[in-house]
Amino acid sequence: MKNFLLLLLLLSLVWWCGSCARPRIVVPEAVPPEVAAPEEAPECDVSKLRAELLHCEDELKNATGERTNCLVHVARLAYLLGELSPKDEKLQYFEKGKGYGETLAREQPAWADGHYWLGMNLCGLAEIGGARRGLKLLPDIIEEMERTLGVNPAYEQAGAHRVLGRIYYECPGWPISVGNIHESLEHLSKAVALAPDNSTNHLFLAETLLKLGKKAEAHRELEQVLKATRHAHCPQQLEEDRQKARRLLGENWGELSSPTTSHQGASVR
């Protein structure tokens, strides 16, 4: 997700040349998910993730009964490896993740897992595929995230709200594209409410608030980034969010203290 910004900036160049109709989303009937998202993301060691994916794929090939948990795991692992691997290896992992996500969504359409990981792997394919492919995939990404919300809005630390909030923040507005800063605010506010310990939820909300000119509220969200304890995908990426929060605090306020009162709760490391 951290690189999705680059894709959307490229897409903007294409959208300014013509209009893109907003897709109609059909959300399935909400059903409690059968498979819970991991409580804590594993450390993102690429070699370990590769070995784990190979092991899980072997188990999946030999599975004779229930295989849903295994499909969830391989779709997630493929996405992480697509994000973390060298450029020339990304495509194979995102394609794998897309395939596993499609299978899972087809076999368990009322579960959040398949829709979410299908959507995330589509994000990866859009990013590496350039503006033309990204433009083509964007409606499918939005649809899968909306389907995720229809089942379990809190899945993956409110991941669907986080992704949609960022899309509506980055894209040009109607009628050129789907961008809508107020929808971004709505989705990211829900993400923070559902998963208040997630650093990226606060960071993305802060950037949306800054775009809306709500500086005091944005400042509070940036302070929360510095105190957050979880990242949706890799624990070590917490520091990346914190560094960006410090940069935004410096650019907009010149210091880490509150605009109105001194704040000592967030240590800077």
Side-chain angles (χ1 to χ4, degrees), residues 1 7 16 21 62 80 93 104 145 156 158 161 164 171 173 177 181 187 197 199 233 253 264:
M1 181 62 188
L7 161 71
W16 284 109
N62 298 321
L80 289 176
Y93 288 119
L104 183 56
M145 292 303 160
E156 279 291 307
H161 279 305
L164 289 171
C171 288
S177 184
I181 194 64
H187 280 291
D197 295 332
S199 60
H233 300 138
W253 290 276
Q264 303 295 329

Side-chain angles (χ1 to χ4, degrees), residues 95-134:
E95 287 286 5
K96 275 190 177 187
K98 173 178 174 287
Y100 291 132
E102 287 173 337
T103 299
L104 183 56
R106 183 172 61 252
E107 293 185 4
Q108 301 292 349
W111 294 13
D113 310 78
H115 299 298
Y116 183 75
W117 292 115
L118 173 55
M120 292 303 290
N121 281 287
L122 288 174
C123 284
L125 289 171
E127 178 191 336
I128 65 174
R132 186 179 297 276
R133 189 175 191 190

Side-chain angles (χ1 to χ4, degrees), residues 199 235-244 246 269:
S199 60
Q236 56 264 49
Q237 289 178 347
L238 271 170
E239 184 56 31
E240 294 180 17
D241 284 353
R242 290 169 182 162
Q243 288 177 5
K244 188 165 187 180
R246 292 177 194 127
R269 294 185 289 275

